[in-house]
Amino acid sequence: MAVGVSANGSRSAAGIGMTSQRTRERMVERLRAEGIGDERVLAAMAAVPRHLFVDEALASRAYEDSALPIGFGQTISRPYAVARMIEALAARALGKVLEVGTGCGYQAAVLASLAREVYSVERVKELHERARANLRHLRLKNLRLVHGDGSLGLEEAAPFDAIIVAAAAAELPLGLLRQLAPGGRMVLPLRDAGAGPQRLVLVARDRHGHTQTVLDPVKFVPLRSGKA
């Protein structure tokens, strides 16, 4: 998935120094040491050049295990959080996936490396356009970006085999749950009232209803509704 330097001098996915392939490999080694065991997920994390999705001033920090600002009060999630959430979904084959919160487009690119079809919804118009620009060179034909209110899901494309939410909700969004296919899985951070602690939750739907499994303590920006 290498992207070369264009005639106008845009950045290369191969990169040098702190954005090199070797730096990416060290990130993957760290993820493996921290418990990420799905080799498909690790390969996807290695293949997608995270430094292309952050401001150039932050490129040298792109492969640290930390969230980084992308503007509009939003962040690109830390690599471990991305890998952990996708691994939780990838226990089953990833067919049609909905991502709520495109942000800069990085997680969508990792998902598109693993799923048959990915729909990613972003409420902030400027971030939606930035993600489109970030992803253009990767030519991911199975990825569709939508500007809209992701908290409502995407009814016209439902049902989904998997849903991933990149922001913390105060309660399980029932609209998203209804768009999850029987046998499908959703992973999202849920937060207690106010600024209380957050926990990553895996929701599995079956013909009788759904079950919830708490995975890890996490820290995400809050899930917001409406377009911006």
Side-chain angles (χ1 to χ4, degrees), residues 89-226:
L89 294 179
R92 297 173 62 96
L94 291 178
K96 189 196 301 184
V97 179
L98 172 66
E99 179 190 38
V100 176
T102 312
C104 61
Y106 172 71
Q107 184 169 262
V110 178
L111 283 166
S113 300
L114 295 162
R116 185 185 73 244
E117 192 174 10
V118 177
Y119 292 82
S120 184
V121 184
E122 173 56 54
R123 62 181 290 273
V124 180
K125 181 67 171 178
E126 291 88 345
L127 285 178
H128 167 75
E129 295 297 342
R130 187 179 303 172
R132 188 176 296 281
N134 289 340
L135 290 159
R136 186 172 296 122
H137 297 296
L138 300 182
R139 297 187 176 91
L140 299 169
K141 298 185 183 300
N142 62 334
L143 173 60
R144 293 164 176 79
L145 302 183
V146 178
H147 174 229
D149 185 352
S151 68
L152 302 177
L154 197 62
E155 190 69 45
E156 60 267 31
F160 298 97
D161 302 302
I163 299 175
I164 187 167
V165 183
E171 57 187 7
L172 184 63
L174 296 181
L176 294 179
L177 184 62
R178 285 192 290 269
Q179 293 178 33
L180 195 61
R185 297 157 75 88
M186 174 164 59
V187 65
L188 76 165
L190 290 177
R191 58 183 170 85
D192 292 339
Q198 300 176 11
R199 58 207 182 277
L200 190 64
V201 175
L202 177 66
V203 180
R205 183 176 181 185
D206 59 31
R207 58 193 179 91
H208 301 295
H210 70 276
T211 60
Q212 297 185 38
T213 303
V214 176
L215 301 179
D216 300 310
V218 290
K219 187 174 182 180
F220 280 76
V221 298
L223 179 67
R224 304 189 187 281
S225 61

